[in-house]
Amino acid sequence: MAKQVITAAYLALGGTDLSSYTNSIELSVEADEKDVTTFTSGGWKENIPGLRSGTLAIEFKQDVAASALDSIMWANFIGGSAVTFEVRVSNAVVGTSNPKYTGNVLVKEWTPIGGGVGDVAEVKVSFPTSGAVTRATA
C-alpha cells in the first residue's frame, strides 16, 4: 500500500477552485444503520444500510479582498441552494491514483470575521451533502 502526504489537495465549490485558500479538507460519508434482525438471525444482530449522507469540512485562510474568498462564499451562502463540489487528494490530473469525489453541498454557514489579536484569519466550516456523492477516476 502506498503512503501519501497531502501537500496539494484540490477543492472547488460552485465550479470555483478554492484550493489556494484551503489548508484542510475532509469529506466523510456514512449510511444509517437499519436493524433487520429476526428470530432466525441466530442470536446475532443483522444490519443493512439505510439512507446515506455526507459532510464536507473545510478550513480556509480568510481573504476579504474584492472577488476573493469572502465574496465567493458569501454569494454561495446567500444563494440559498446547494452548490457543486469537487475534492481530490492532489491537484494533479484525475486518475486511478487520484480519484475525484463530487456532489452538492448546502452552504449553511459562513463566518466572515473570527479570531483574536495576532491570529491568522481562518474560517472553519462544515457543509452537509445534498444528494449523492460520486467517485470517479476519469
Side-chain angles (χ1 to χ4, degrees):
M1 178 175 133
K3 289 153 180 77
Q4 188 169 10
V5 173
I6 299 175
T7 59
Y10 176 84
L11 168 71
L13 286 176
T16 302
D17 181 354
L18 299 177
S19 304
S20 64
Y21 302 108
T22 309
N23 70 318
S24 178
I25 305 168
E26 181 179 315
L27 174 65
S28 59
V29 292
E30 67 179 6
D32 291 341
E33 179 182 311
K34 296 298 179 179
D35 187 342
V36 294
T37 307
T38 66
F39 290 122
T40 60
S41 297
W44 289 90
K45 284 183 97 174
E46 294 183 63
N47 293 291
I48 59 173
L51 295 175
R52 291 175 172 82
S53 62
T55 302
L56 180 61
I58 309 163
E59 186 172 321
F60 291 110
K61 301 299 182 191
Q62 180 60 293
D63 188 342
V64 296
S67 301
L69 179 66
D70 185 61
S71 64
I72 294 165
M73 292 307 298
W74 187 256
N76 287 332
F77 175 71
I78 293 299
S81 60
V83 298
T84 60
F85 77 87
E86 178 180 336
V87 293
R88 294 182 246 147
V89 170
S90 169
N91 59 9
V93 175
V94 173
T96 56
S97 296
N98 190 34
K100 68 178 179 178
Y101 296 85
T102 59
N104 294 297
V105 291
L106 178 61
V107 179
K108 67 179 186 82
E109 63 178 306
W110 184 241
T111 307
I113 301 170
V117 174
D119 289 345
V120 173
E122 296 179 320
V123 179
K124 294 179 184 178
V125 292
S126 183
F127 303 139
T129 59
S130 180
V133 173
T134 59
R135 178 185 189 272
T137 56

